[in-house]
Amino acid sequence: MDRTVIAYVIYLVVSIALTVWVARTLSRNGRVFLADVLHGDEKLADAVNHLLVVGFYLVNLGFVALYLSGDDTIEDARGVFEALSTKLGVVLLVLGGMHLGNVYVLNRIRRRGLLEREQVPPVRPQGRVAATPGA
């Protein structure tokens, strides 16, 4: 078998495994943030979490597929390692960037929810106080 094909197979297996691992980690831990942001609505938190995971898979697996092709043929074992290190390094950077993006968005949503909760008075207003003239 051609060394280039071997490098492609290894790249795909490792990239897909890393994508699945990161997506599961984000899904499991991001659900807590979503439940908090959505005021404890577990069903909605699960639905939003699932949609975010699907989008994460589509973006990352699309990138992995687009980045698969290479211009050079691999001649020896050293070439396999060099090609894999470059390709997997870029995939890891993209996964890290996507992860940071997800955490940033979840944090922004959570902060907005906290600000909204702070603006609601703890006790409903019970009446109005008339303004005194000349005060």
Side-chain angles (χ1 to χ4, degrees):
M1 187 182 289
D2 185 18
R3 286 188 176 98
T4 305
V5 174
I6 292 170
Y8 285 169
V9 169
I10 294 170
Y11 164 74
L12 283 173
V13 168
V14 173
S15 295
I16 291 170
L18 285 170
T19 300
V20 168
W21 175 71
V22 171
R24 285 185 178 175
T25 301
L26 287 173
S27 172
R28 185 174 48 251
N29 296 317
R31 187 182 177 288
V32 175
F33 286 105
L34 288 172
D36 183 45
V37 167
L38 300 172
H39 309 293
D41 189 350
E42 300 288 328
K43 202 169 186 180
L44 184 58
D46 287 338
V48 170
N49 196 19
H50 183 71
L51 291 172
L52 287 171
V53 168
V54 169
F56 184 83
Y57 277 128
L58 290 173
V59 169
N60 282 299
L61 293 178
F63 175 77
V64 166
L66 286 173
Y67 200 62
L68 175 67
S69 66
D71 298 335
D72 302 329
T73 56
I74 298 173
E75 303 284 329
D76 55 2
R78 177 182 174 182
V80 171
F81 283 104
E82 289 175 354
L84 283 174
S85 68
T86 301
K87 287 189 177 293
L88 290 175
V90 171
V91 167
L92 287 170
L93 288 173
V94 169
L95 283 171
M98 290 291 293
H99 170 68
L100 290 175
N102 275 341
V103 169
Y104 176 76
V105 168
L106 288 173
N107 192 35
R108 296 281 299 183
I109 293 171
R110 183 172 176 266
R111 279 187 181 178
R112 187 169 15 131
L114 290 174
L115 287 174
E116 288 174 3
R117 281 186 225 155
E118 288 177 2
Q119 293 178 359
V120 176
V123 178
R124 297 189 111 209
Q126 298 175 2
R128 291 186 172 198
V129 176
T132 57

